[in-house]
Amino acid sequence: MDAIGVALLLATLRLSVPLAIAAMGELVAERAGVLNIGIEGMMLAGAFAAFAVGATTGSVGLALAAGMLAGAALAALFALFVIGRNSDPIVCGMAINVLALGVTGSAYRVLLPAGASTLTSPVMPEVAPGVNGFVLVTALQVATVVLFLSRTRWGLAVRAVGESAEAAHAQGVRVLRTRWAATIFGGVCAGLAGSSLVLWLTDTFVEGMTSGRGFIALALVLFGGYRPGRIVLGALLFGGASALQFRLQARGVEIPYNLLLMTPYVLTLVVLTLFAGRAKGPADLARPFVARE
Amino acid sequence: MKSWRAWIEPSLAVLIALGCAVLVLVLLGANPARALVALAGGAFGDRLALENTVVRMMPLALIGLGVSLAFRCGVWNIGGEGQLYLGALAATALGTRLLPDAPAAILIPVLLAGGALAGALWAGIAALLKTQRGVSEVLSTILLNFVAVLAVAWAVHGPLQELAGSYPQSDLLPEAGRLGIPPGLLRIHGGVVLVLLLPFAVWLLLFRSAVGLRLRAVGASPDAARYAGVSPEREVVRALLLSGGLAGLAGAIEIAGVTGRLFENLSPGYGFTAIAVSLLARLHPLGVLPAALFFAALASGSGAMQRVAGVPSVTVQVIEAIVIFLSVGFALAGRRS
């Protein structure tokens, strides 16, 4: 493979990893019946926390931990309202997104007052020549989710709760506890995905830097028809399309820059048009559960 | 008794949110009293500040009205931002390129109608995807926001860029296309008439017409509505078109009444704040006006808060999020069954 091909492949991986990690987390939450459109905000919070901790301590490990913790914290807030109080998941998800924009924006200006020199975070090291640590993390995460959902009792409980909370409850599964755990897992994954934007894709933070990746990850779950293999394939497809678009920009191709930037969003809409209707989601997705005595 | 209760809960939400804001301000190391006084002064301190707040209230009220209308039909229109941009784009194209020499009596209605139509069509894409292909309108309207913002960026670097060609912005609308500022006022433009009338029109439509009855029936239960002979698909399309039309109108009014021209980042997120407006208003068309005024005051006061107390202006988004949580978390807005 020539140098351009290698560069394109690498760029594809870098752009696919955040989508794949976030989408796999969302898959688990949705399988438990929790529709979380706040993962965009959880990714953003993860990105900021990873940046702030990474830049001030210089430690990649602490940065990753901070990113995941931030995602988990927002997921807990989301769960408190959506699972705890049966509030509408769409509205709460949007509130999480607004909250993350406000909190990260404010904290960023406190960390870096206007005029201060820029901060940079450390970069995730390679685990083998040419293989970034995030590639390994993604592979492990995907394998874990696949095995968890298909081979473990807890995975079965998650799927049962998403299909029919009533029936699962009758079988003795703790519905609310399972949904809480799945939501927190989704938040941790979103935070990790956000961290990768800072620790691999760039080495800094920009306000609103997730720019819709969380929503694309949501669409990928539908595109993949709730099947992990197809979700990862979808993430690679999207990463590839974005990489190609950046390459075209760099080559100075005669397509206006702003139209090229539309590619991922238009592609997502096209993919949803083709596949969303066919994707059969968990029957109890986004339905509140109230135990009857 | 009932109307008294309709006010008490949203007011409580606002008070709690402001309480949380004080906490955030302390965490940021600012003097909360000083920051809040600066915020209030920036929003209502003098005539100019007050009128600026009212000008900001207009797009929030119009988009919030559309969001409420769609929510009443059980449809989530998260795409107000994109629909506003499309409305602004259409109004600019009409005013600067297609009809630059038309008299005001023709140009102003055409600009506003064109903006509303563009917003409605943009929301119509989401309606079509939902009813024909089963695509959730939540995702499609969010994605269409990104596309619309980029379309405006492209337009002001390309076909709609000013003829002088020095900045990425459109030419100014011709004088005949501008919504004038009535004598005696400083900033409040003629669009205020529409902003004050349309909530009543939407209230009449929703609660005093057969159209509104069908729309709300679908919102309450699509299955029951279908059983009663109402097509949920048609009502969903109607609700999204009306909702998008209101947001598009807001975009056209912004161009014709405030900026006079199109440029990138035209809206500071009016389309997203409008969701909070509609929830604080408890999805009531008339409640949208005070709710929009509250968020407009936050937005216009935040600049002063940043200058005087050194609090980043994005902090007001935290207040916005808290209001949303309080509005849904404590069943203020009511949950769809």
Side-chain angles (χ1 to χ4, degrees), chain B residues 176-219:
Chain B
R178 303 293 299 274
L179 290 167
I181 295 173
L185 292 175
L186 303 169
R187 285 282 188 280
I188 298 176
H189 52 77
V192 73
V193 180
L194 281 175
V195 174
L196 292 177
L197 287 180
L198 280 170
F200 288 93
V202 169
W203 181 81
L204 282 175
L205 179 87
L206 272 178
F207 299 106
R208 291 290 182 274
S209 82
V211 174
L213 185 65
R214 285 199 295 270
L215 227 118
R216 285 182 294 124
V218 171

Side-chain angles (χ1 to χ4, degrees), chain A residues 22 47 67 107 111 139 178 204 233 245 269 286 288:
Chain A
L111 191 69
T178 309
T204 185
L233 205 69
Q245 165 231 317
L269 280 165

Side-chain angles (χ1 to χ4, degrees), chain B residues 93-311:
Chain B
L94 286 167
T96 62
R97 291 288 193 269
L98 298 173
L99 299 164
D101 303 318
I106 294 175
L107 191 52
I108 288 179
V110 167
L111 287 189
L112 299 184
L117 187 67
L121 290 177
W122 199 244
I125 300 175
L128 214 63
L129 289 181
K130 182 178 173 70
T131 52
Q132 302 300 312
R133 308 288 313 174
V135 178
S136 147
E137 77 281 13
V138 174
L139 271 178
S140 61
T141 51
I142 289 173
L143 291 164
L144 286 167
N145 284 338
F146 288 100
V147 179
V149 169
L150 288 166
V152 165
W154 163 73
V156 296
H157 282 97
L160 289 182
Q161 189 174 16
E162 56 176 356
L163 294 175
S166 32
Y167 295 103
Q169 59 182 23
S170 75
D171 280 311
L172 273 173
L173 279 190
E175 206 48 46
R178 303 293 299 274
L179 290 167
I181 295 173
L185 292 175
L186 303 169
R187 285 282 188 280
I188 298 176
H189 52 77
V192 73
V193 180
L194 281 175
V195 174
L196 292 177
L197 287 180
L198 280 170
F200 288 93
V202 169
W203 181 81
L204 282 175
L205 179 87
L206 272 178
F207 299 106
R208 291 290 182 274
S209 82
V211 174
L213 185 65
R214 285 199 295 270
L215 227 118
R216 285 182 294 124
V218 171
S221 165
D223 291 334
R226 195 190 301 277
Y227 189 69
V230 177
S231 156
E233 289 78 19
R234 250 180 63 191
E235 300 310 316
V236 162
V237 171
R238 196 198 310 269
L240 270 172
L241 289 179
L242 285 171
S243 183
L246 284 165
L249 178 66
I253 290 179
E254 203 60 12
I255 296 289
V258 185
T259 66
R261 62 167 108 230
L262 186 66
F263 45 86
E264 288 179 73
N265 306 323
L266 177 77
S267 153
Y270 286 135
F272 300 110
T273 307
I275 296 166
V277 167
S278 124
L279 290 170
L280 183 62
R282 308 174 86 207
L283 311 186
H284 196 286
L286 302 181
V288 155
L289 288 173
L293 189 67
F294 168 68
F295 284 106
L298 280 185
S300 56
S302 66
M305 191 171 71
Q306 183 162 357
R307 276 193 310 278
V308 177
V311 177

Side-chain angles (χ1 to χ4, degrees), chain B residues 8-68:
Chain B
I8 193 88
E9 286 177 345
S11 309
L12 216 62
V14 165
L15 280 179
I16 298 174
L18 287 176
C20 295
V22 169
L23 205 71
V24 173
L25 291 171
V26 171
L27 282 174
L28 284 171
N31 176 343
R34 197 162 161 218
L36 288 180
V37 166
L39 183 86
F44 304 113
D46 54 50
R47 269 284 297 286
L48 189 63
L50 179 68
E51 291 203 14
N52 272 326
T53 300
V54 174
V55 166
R56 276 173 189 267
M57 177 196 121
M58 297 190 205
L60 288 178
L62 286 177
I63 306 174
L65 195 58
V67 172
S68 303

Side-chain angles (χ1 to χ4, degrees), chain A residues 37 40 77-78 81 85-92 94-96 98-99 101-103 105-107 109-110 207 211-212 215-216 218-219 222 256 258-259 261-262 265-266 268-269 272-274 276-277 286 288, chain B residues 28 71 76 78 129 133-136 138-144 146-148 150-155 157 264 272 275 279 306 312-318 320-322 324-326 328-331 335-336:
Chain A
I37 70 161
E40 170 83 4
L77 183 64
F78 178 82
F81 282 92
R85 302 192 55 92
N86 286 336
S87 302
D88 192 285
I90 304 292
V91 176
C92 290
M94 283 314 288
I96 291 282
V98 173
L99 184 69
L101 264 176
V103 169
S106 311
R109 310 242 174 117
V110 171
E207 273 179 58
S211 55
F215 301 124
I216 294 177
L218 274 162
L222 291 172
N258 288 303
L259 295 187
L261 285 181
M262 285 180 192
Y265 312 112
V266 174
T268 311
L269 280 165
L272 283 174
T273 310
L274 295 176
Chain B
L28 284 171
F71 278 3
W76 305 108
I78 319 278
L129 289 181
R133 308 288 313 174
V135 178
S136 147
V138 174
L139 271 178
S140 61
T141 51
I142 289 173
L143 291 164
L144 286 167
F146 288 100
V147 179
L150 288 166
V152 165
W154 163 73
H157 282 97
E264 288 179 73
F272 300 110
I275 296 166
L279 290 170
Q306 183 162 357
S313 57
V314 280
T315 308
V316 297
Q317 279 184 310
V318 178
E320 201 177 298
I322 295 169
I324 300 181
F325 274 127
L326 292 171
V328 291
F330 300 98
R335 204 197 133 81
R336 285 186 306 164

